[in-house]
Amino acid sequence: MKPRMLLLIGVLAAALGVFYLLAAPEAPRALTPEPESASAPLPSRRRVTDITFLYSTEKRAWVEAALADFQRTHPHVRVTLVGQGSLEAAQAILEGREKPTVWSPADSAELRMLAADWATDASHGPLFATQGDAVPHPLVITPLVFVGWQDRMDVLRKADGGAALSWKTLQRAVASDRGWPAVGGPPEWGFVKLGHTDPTKSNSGLQALLSATLEYLGRRSSVKEADLLDPGYQAWLQGLERGVTRFEPSTGTFMTDLVRYGPSRYDLALVYESLAIAQLGNAQGRWGPLRVDYPPVTLWSDHPAAVLQADWVTPEQREAALEWVAFLRSPAVQARALAFGFRPADPSVPLRTPDADNPFTRLAAQGIRVDVPPAADVPDASVLRTLLELWTRMGVGR
């Protein structure tokens, strides 16, 4: 064969070989992943962290609405809600029946009482942080108020000289065996039926006792154990508690029952302003108008959120809990609290707004006020425990 022909055959064979290699299917790659570069993006899916939020039930509607928004933007945190009366929840934590990641009672007084009880066990460290980003902060605030049926409240205010309702006038009405006629009401109303929650289970019940005690003593602060041991005061308080026909464990349930059953069960009650706002409209089509009045001194509930430092809370849960608390304290979520009758804890969020649905302007005719009477100082935990012990010894809750 001629050399020129051999060269041509060689060129054709090489071309066919290249064509074969390009057309052949790609060999399978090794399954060993390639190392990520330092600038590689983070994975789109994060591990889900479960936390439990134990909270006082009167803020249920606001918390549930906030959680729906939180879960859409924070899918890596799964929050389980557990609603329970504040003092009942504190006892459950102390006994180990509840092990929340975050606890939000109605008031900081419950945090102080539980912290004091927790510290009696030498093996326990502090239950709540005292510095840093995990220090308990208020979520929303609301004062304790009287709420009652308009005609009943008018009679009581008239008996008080037309001013705001006082505990002393209410005690006189409740303690009298003459019932409503003792303060100028009609006999068909029967005895004066007062309502408040069980003070050993619910913060609003404890606040009701404290509010009455402060007025009896004529003070806004400096209540001591000796004041509670005075026989005259004890007789006065027992006369007041005669008019409480039942003691519910939760303020939310209690306020609903007031509207559900009307004046056949309660003439007036002590509840949080937020709950009164939520239910004022519901009463109109059932039993008539409700009226709100403010006690002579104001007791605030600040609804703190505390991330627990207990051994059942992992570092991952702590971080997830702080995200949840920060979300609740964000300006947008704080502003939404107005629609649920709460006053935002964030002072930068205005209480007076041009919104026609703002309850603090819309319900002014039914007694809701922006400005409230001077605030009282909550006594030490030891004084509150003595007050609860006195109430228990009186036997009115049995």
Side-chain angles (χ1 to χ4, degrees):
M1 188 176 292
K2 295 181 179 181
R4 184 177 298 178
M5 183 63 69
L6 289 174
L7 179 61
L8 179 61
I9 292 172
V11 170
L12 288 174
L16 287 172
V18 171
F19 176 80
Y20 175 82
L21 290 174
L22 290 175
E26 185 179 358
R29 295 182 179 180
L31 297 179
T32 304
E34 296 181 3
E36 296 183 2
S37 66
S39 60
L42 293 173
S44 59
R45 290 185 298 175
R46 295 170 59 182
R47 181 178 178 182
V48 174
T49 302
D50 291 293
I51 64 172
T52 301
F53 185 60
L54 180 63
Y55 69 101
S56 55
T57 54
E58 60 279 353
K59 55 180 176 282
R60 183 189 304 276
W62 175 67
V63 167
E64 289 180 348
L67 179 59
D69 290 339
F70 179 78
Q71 297 288 210
R72 281 193 291 270
T73 56
H74 297 72
H76 58 282
V77 180
R78 186 162 47 219
V79 183
T80 298
L81 301 180
V82 179
Q84 199 170 54
S86 297
L87 289 162
E88 191 175 15
Q91 190 63 31
I93 293 172
L94 187 64
E95 296 174 357
R97 291 182 284 110
E98 292 287 352
K99 294 184 176 182
T101 319
V102 190
W103 181 40
S104 179
D107 191 65
S108 291
E110 278 80 50
L111 289 184
R112 295 196 298 271
M113 292 170 70
L114 177 57
D117 288 341
W118 186 263
T120 59
D121 188 333
S123 66
H124 288 160
L127 188 57
F128 312 119
T130 56
Q131 59 184 0
D133 58 355
V135 169
H137 289 289
L139 296 178
V140 288
I141 60 175
T142 191
L144 190 74
V145 300
F146 293 112
V147 60
W149 304 102
Q150 178 79 59
D151 50 1
R152 271 78 167 167
M153 298 288 276
D154 287 344
V155 168
L156 289 168
R157 278 198 304 275
K158 185 177 180 180
D160 222 350
L165 176 61
S166 74
W167 278 106
K168 291 181 178 178
T169 297
L170 182 55
Q171 195 273 352
R172 178 162 57 91
V174 167
S176 175
D177 290 333
R178 294 178 55 213
W180 274 104
V183 288
E188 56 265 28
W189 288 355
F191 294 105
V192 180
K193 300 176 288 296
L194 174 66
H196 67 69
T197 56
D198 185 334
T200 66
K201 297 179 180 179
S202 168
N203 176 70
S204 68
L206 176 58
Q207 283 193 338
L209 296 184
L210 181 57
S211 178
T213 300
L214 288 165
E215 185 176 317
Y216 176 87
L217 297 173
R219 303 180 200 162
R220 286 166 45 198
S221 61
S222 304
V223 179
K224 303 297 183 186
E225 285 89 344
D227 298 317
L228 309 182
L229 301 180
D230 175 65
Y233 159 75
Q234 292 181 6
W236 182 87
L237 184 63
Q238 188 154 24
L240 176 68
E241 292 297 274
R242 286 179 62 190
V244 184
T245 57
R246 66 187 67 227
F247 297 93
E248 299 288 353
S250 164
T251 317
T253 301
F254 174 69
M255 184 65 207
T256 300
D257 281 351
L258 186 148
V259 173
R260 178 182 289 130
Y261 297 108
S264 66
R265 179 169 291 185
Y266 302 111
D267 294 312
L268 74 161
L270 273 296
V271 301
Y272 302 118
E273 178 190 63
S274 57
L275 289 175
I277 287 173
Q279 293 285 356
L280 285 176
N282 294 338
Q284 290 283 2
R286 298 177 67 91
W287 311 103
L290 283 169
R291 170 82 188 187
V292 171
D293 211 340
Y294 293 76
V297 295
T298 297
L299 288 171
W300 290 103
S301 294
D302 61 352
H303 296 271
V307 179
L308 273 63
Q309 297 185 145
D311 57 8
W312 61 78
V313 178
T314 67
E316 294 78 14
Q317 288 176 318
R318 177 186 181 278
E319 293 306 312
L322 290 174
E323 285 188 64
W324 166 236
V325 172
F327 182 83
L328 292 174
R329 299 185 71 243
S330 64
V333 180
Q334 289 281 294
R336 285 191 64 190
L338 286 169
F340 297 93
F342 286 103
R343 299 170 184 240
D346 184 345
S348 70
V349 179
L351 189 57
R352 292 183 174 96
T353 67
D355 186 355
D357 289 332
N358 186 328
F360 293 94
T361 52
R362 177 172 53 85
L363 299 174
Q366 291 179 259
I368 296 298
R369 298 165 49 179
V370 172
D371 300 317
V372 297
D377 293 333
V378 177
D380 294 338
S382 60
V383 176
L384 295 177
R385 293 214 173 278
T386 302
L387 181 57
L388 289 173
E389 185 179 354
L390 169 62
W391 186 84
T392 303
R393 286 169 64 91
M394 287 174 7
V396 292
R398 292 195 291 269

